[in-house]
Amino acid sequence: MPDLKWRLSEVIISPTTHHEVKKMAIRPSDIRPLELASNSFVVVRESWVQILFAGGIFVLLSQLIVFFTKSSGIPAMVEMGNFAGSFTMLLATVAVSLVTCARVLGVQIPYLPSALINDRYFWKYVWAALVCGFLSVLAALACVLVASFVVPLSAGLDFYSVPFLFTAGFAAVASFVVYVRLFMVMPAVAVGEKVSLSASLRRTRGIGLKVALSVVIALGGFIVAEYLLKGAATYGGDPASSAIMSSLAVVLKLVRCAVEGALAGFIFVKVKENEPAQAEA
């Protein structure tokens, strides 16, 4: 088993000039998807207590907000409760991602929500997640707009029609490409760097396919299982079974985000390890 106790201080980080940056490029062979995925699972397994506190309390708060606002019966309150609950759920996913990413990078952060919300790096991490998510959605919307000039979307209202499937696939691929190229934004913020899209694009140059493969291997199963559970909860007739399915989907979502944070941290370490070596070469 490889040593998982990474410390950012072990990675040589030195100021670089623009000329040196051009020469720095991690090789695709340095990214080993199966090994990265395996190591990420180990980190999540070893961090389950921190993940439980960091994400579980936010999830509980989210559910309480939705429950009490729905109980009021006031439409405006219900809408506000749904929004607040969704945002709190977002904080849960970001928190567990930060916990595992910081563990890989050797960054000390609190994992209790009461302490996290007072940590400015947590809110920078949240902002980075919102920016990356917005750009991924924006890429998907741009593809839908482009596809509307290629295929007759007016005839593609059926979910199983060729125009709809073509547009949805095109948008999904574009969104995933943006997601992969911005994969280094979050761990960079975790170690105190500013939110820099250009830095992430530079760091993932030449390794995008390997990063994408790592993401698919590490997260693909969770995503499929999560959507299957959501579908079962939506179309299930028994309210008790639907509630159980929804709860399992939330648990899988938290685990997936925790794996995602660890994976991003490991790839970031690989990139930082190779940058000085490439500069000296």
Side-chain angles (χ1 to χ4, degrees), residues 10-24:
E10 296 175 0
V11 182
I12 304 174
I13 303 177
S14 57
T16 58
T17 65
H18 179 68
H19 178 67
E20 289 174 328
V21 166
K22 284 186 175 181
K23 295 190 294 184
M24 296 179 187

PDB file of all heavy atoms in Angstrom, residues 10-24:
ATOM      1  N   GLU A  10       6.342  18.520   1.411  1.00  0.00           N
ATOM      2  CA  GLU A  10       7.242  17.593   0.739  1.00  0.00           C
ATOM      3  C   GLU A  10       7.352  17.894  -0.744  1.00  0.00           C
ATOM      4  O   GLU A  10       8.221  17.379  -1.428  1.00  0.00           O
ATOM      5  CB  GLU A  10       6.745  16.154   0.934  1.00  0.00           C
ATOM      6  CG  GLU A  10       6.750  15.704   2.390  1.00  0.00           C
ATOM      7  CD  GLU A  10       6.141  14.335   2.550  1.00  0.00           C
ATOM      8  OE1 GLU A  10       5.724  13.761   1.533  1.00  0.00           O
ATOM      9  OE2 GLU A  10       6.087  13.833   3.684  1.00  0.00           O
ATOM     10  N   VAL A  11       6.421  18.696  -1.251  1.00  0.00           N
ATOM     11  CA  VAL A  11       6.430  19.058  -2.661  1.00  0.00           C
ATOM     12  C   VAL A  11       7.201  20.356  -2.821  1.00  0.00           C
ATOM     13  O   VAL A  11       6.924  21.338  -2.144  1.00  0.00           O
ATOM     14  CB  VAL A  11       4.993  19.242  -3.189  1.00  0.00           C
ATOM     15  CG1 VAL A  11       5.014  19.575  -4.667  1.00  0.00           C
ATOM     16  CG2 VAL A  11       4.183  17.988  -2.938  1.00  0.00           C
ATOM     17  N   ILE A  12       8.196  20.370  -3.684  1.00  0.00           N
ATOM     18  CA  ILE A  12       9.024  21.552  -3.885  1.00  0.00           C
ATOM     19  C   ILE A  12       8.221  22.603  -4.631  1.00  0.00           C
ATOM     20  O   ILE A  12       7.875  22.423  -5.792  1.00  0.00           O
ATOM     21  CB  ILE A  12      10.303  21.216  -4.671  1.00  0.00           C
ATOM     22  CG1 ILE A  12      11.069  20.106  -3.948  1.00  0.00           C
ATOM     23  CG2 ILE A  12      11.162  22.434  -4.873  1.00  0.00           C
ATOM     24  CD1 ILE A  12      12.266  19.610  -4.716  1.00  0.00           C
ATOM     25  N   ILE A  13       7.903  23.694  -3.952  1.00  0.00           N
ATOM     26  CA  ILE A  13       7.150  24.778  -4.568  1.00  0.00           C
ATOM     27  C   ILE A  13       8.042  26.014  -4.556  1.00  0.00           C
ATOM     28  O   ILE A  13       8.416  26.516  -3.504  1.00  0.00           O
ATOM     29  CB  ILE A  13       5.851  25.058  -3.800  1.00  0.00           C
ATOM     30  CG1 ILE A  13       5.013  23.777  -3.724  1.00  0.00           C
ATOM     31  CG2 ILE A  13       5.072  26.187  -4.447  1.00  0.00           C
ATOM     32  CD1 ILE A  13       3.753  23.949  -2.934  1.00  0.00           C
ATOM     33  N   SER A  14       8.384  26.502  -5.712  1.00  0.00           N
ATOM     34  CA  SER A  14       9.243  27.663  -5.814  1.00  0.00           C
ATOM     35  C   SER A  14       8.670  28.638  -6.819  1.00  0.00           C
ATOM     36  O   SER A  14       7.934  28.250  -7.721  1.00  0.00           O
ATOM     37  CB  SER A  14      10.657  27.250  -6.263  1.00  0.00           C
ATOM     38  OG  SER A  14      10.592  26.556  -7.489  1.00  0.00           O
ATOM     39  N   PRO A  15       8.998  29.947  -6.667  1.00  0.00           N
ATOM     40  CA  PRO A  15       8.502  30.930  -7.628  1.00  0.00           C
ATOM     41  C   PRO A  15       9.004  30.601  -9.027  1.00  0.00           C
ATOM     42  O   PRO A  15      10.140  30.158  -9.214  1.00  0.00           O
ATOM     43  CB  PRO A  15       9.101  32.246  -7.108  1.00  0.00           C
ATOM     44  CG  PRO A  15       9.433  31.988  -5.672  1.00  0.00           C
ATOM     45  CD  PRO A  15       9.807  30.547  -5.600  1.00  0.00           C
ATOM     46  N   THR A  16       8.151  30.823 -10.006  1.00  0.00           N
ATOM     47  CA  THR A  16       8.527  30.517 -11.374  1.00  0.00           C
ATOM     48  C   THR A  16       8.276  31.711 -12.264  1.00  0.00           C
ATOM     49  O   THR A  16       7.383  32.523 -11.993  1.00  0.00           O
ATOM     50  CB  THR A  16       7.693  29.333 -11.908  1.00  0.00           C
ATOM     51  OG1 THR A  16       6.319  29.671 -11.828  1.00  0.00           O
ATOM     52  CG2 THR A  16       7.953  28.071 -11.111  1.00  0.00           C
ATOM     53  N   THR A  17       9.058  31.805 -13.291  1.00  0.00           N
ATOM     54  CA  THR A  17       8.860  32.861 -14.268  1.00  0.00           C
ATOM     55  C   THR A  17       7.907  32.360 -15.344  1.00  0.00           C
ATOM     56  O   THR A  17       7.600  31.178 -15.423  1.00  0.00           O
ATOM     57  CB  THR A  17      10.195  33.244 -14.934  1.00  0.00           C
ATOM     58  OG1 THR A  17      10.664  32.104 -15.676  1.00  0.00           O
ATOM     59  CG2 THR A  17      11.222  33.640 -13.897  1.00  0.00           C
ATOM     60  N   HIS A  18       7.444  33.306 -16.182  1.00  0.00           N
ATOM     61  CA  HIS A  18       6.527  32.917 -17.255  1.00  0.00           C
ATOM     62  C   HIS A  18       7.216  31.950 -18.211  1.00  0.00           C
ATOM     63  O   HIS A  18       6.602  31.018 -18.713  1.00  0.00           O
ATOM     64  CB  HIS A  18       6.083  34.179 -18.001  1.00  0.00           C
ATOM     65  CG  HIS A  18       5.149  33.898 -19.130  1.00  0.00           C
ATOM     66  ND1 HIS A  18       3.862  33.436 -18.935  1.00  0.00           N
ATOM     67  CD2 HIS A  18       5.311  33.988 -20.477  1.00  0.00           C
ATOM     68  CE1 HIS A  18       3.267  33.277 -20.085  1.00  0.00           C
ATOM     69  NE2 HIS A  18       4.124  33.596 -21.045  1.00  0.00           N
ATOM     70  N   HIS A  19       8.535  32.147 -18.430  1.00  0.00           N
ATOM     71  CA  HIS A  19       9.262  31.256 -19.340  1.00  0.00           C
ATOM     72  C   HIS A  19       9.347  29.849 -18.780  1.00  0.00           C
ATOM     73  O   HIS A  19       9.216  28.858 -19.491  1.00  0.00           O
ATOM     74  CB  HIS A  19      10.660  31.823 -19.575  1.00  0.00           C
ATOM     75  CG  HIS A  19      11.504  30.948 -20.473  1.00  0.00           C
ATOM     76  ND1 HIS A  19      11.212  30.762 -21.807  1.00  0.00           N
ATOM     77  CD2 HIS A  19      12.617  30.198 -20.212  1.00  0.00           C
ATOM     78  CE1 HIS A  19      12.116  29.959 -22.350  1.00  0.00           C
ATOM     79  NE2 HIS A  19      12.976  29.600 -21.396  1.00  0.00           N
ATOM     80  N   GLU A  20       9.540  29.759 -17.433  1.00  0.00           N
ATOM     81  CA  GLU A  20       9.631  28.445 -16.809  1.00  0.00           C
ATOM     82  C   GLU A  20       8.291  27.727 -16.835  1.00  0.00           C
ATOM     83  O   GLU A  20       8.240  26.512 -17.023  1.00  0.00           O
ATOM     84  CB  GLU A  20      10.103  28.584 -15.356  1.00  0.00           C
ATOM     85  CG  GLU A  20      11.560  28.994 -15.236  1.00  0.00           C
ATOM     86  CD  GLU A  20      11.926  29.259 -13.793  1.00  0.00           C
ATOM     87  OE1 GLU A  20      11.058  29.716 -13.040  1.00  0.00           O
ATOM     88  OE2 GLU A  20      13.085  29.012 -13.431  1.00  0.00           O
ATOM     89  N   VAL A  21       7.210  28.487 -16.666  1.00  0.00           N
ATOM     90  CA  VAL A  21       5.879  27.882 -16.669  1.00  0.00           C
ATOM     91  C   VAL A  21       5.604  27.197 -17.994  1.00  0.00           C
ATOM     92  O   VAL A  21       5.004  26.134 -18.057  1.00  0.00           O
ATOM     93  CB  VAL A  21       4.809  28.956 -16.378  1.00  0.00           C
ATOM     94  CG1 VAL A  21       3.422  28.442 -16.721  1.00  0.00           C
ATOM     95  CG2 VAL A  21       4.864  29.381 -14.920  1.00  0.00           C
ATOM     96  N   LYS A  22       6.068  27.795 -19.078  1.00  0.00           N
ATOM     97  CA  LYS A  22       5.838  27.205 -20.384  1.00  0.00           C
ATOM     98  C   LYS A  22       6.490  25.833 -20.509  1.00  0.00           C
ATOM     99  O   LYS A  22       6.024  24.975 -21.240  1.00  0.00           O
ATOM    100  CB  LYS A  22       6.379  28.128 -21.478  1.00  0.00           C
ATOM    101  CG  LYS A  22       5.488  29.337 -21.736  1.00  0.00           C
ATOM    102  CD  LYS A  22       6.016  30.113 -22.929  1.00  0.00           C
ATOM    103  CE  LYS A  22       5.070  31.251 -23.280  1.00  0.00           C
ATOM    104  NZ  LYS A  22       5.537  32.014 -24.443  1.00  0.00           N
ATOM    105  N   LYS A  23       7.619  25.652 -19.797  1.00  0.00           N
ATOM    106  CA  LYS A  23       8.333  24.379 -19.916  1.00  0.00           C
ATOM    107  C   LYS A  23       7.754  23.308 -19.005  1.00  0.00           C
ATOM    108  O   LYS A  23       8.073  22.139 -19.142  1.00  0.00           O
ATOM    109  CB  LYS A  23       9.811  24.591 -19.582  1.00  0.00           C
ATOM    110  CG  LYS A  23      10.532  25.500 -20.557  1.00  0.00           C
ATOM    111  CD  LYS A  23      12.028  25.468 -20.312  1.00  0.00           C
ATOM    112  CE  LYS A  23      12.402  26.046 -18.982  1.00  0.00           C
ATOM    113  NZ  LYS A  23      13.849  26.121 -18.768  1.00  0.00           N
ATOM    114  N   MET A  24       6.928  23.713 -18.033  1.00  0.00           N
ATOM    115  CA  MET A  24       6.398  22.751 -17.084  1.00  0.00           C
ATOM    116  C   MET A  24       5.201  22.042 -17.671  1.00  0.00           C
ATOM    117  O   MET A  24       4.221  22.673 -18.041  1.00  0.00           O
ATOM    118  CB  MET A  24       5.982  23.467 -15.802  1.00  0.00           C
ATOM    119  CG  MET A  24       7.113  24.117 -15.047  1.00  0.00           C
ATOM    120  SD  MET A  24       6.489  24.937 -13.572  1.00  0.00           S
ATOM    121  CE  MET A  24       7.977  25.755 -13.022  1.00  0.00           C
TER     122      MET A  24
END
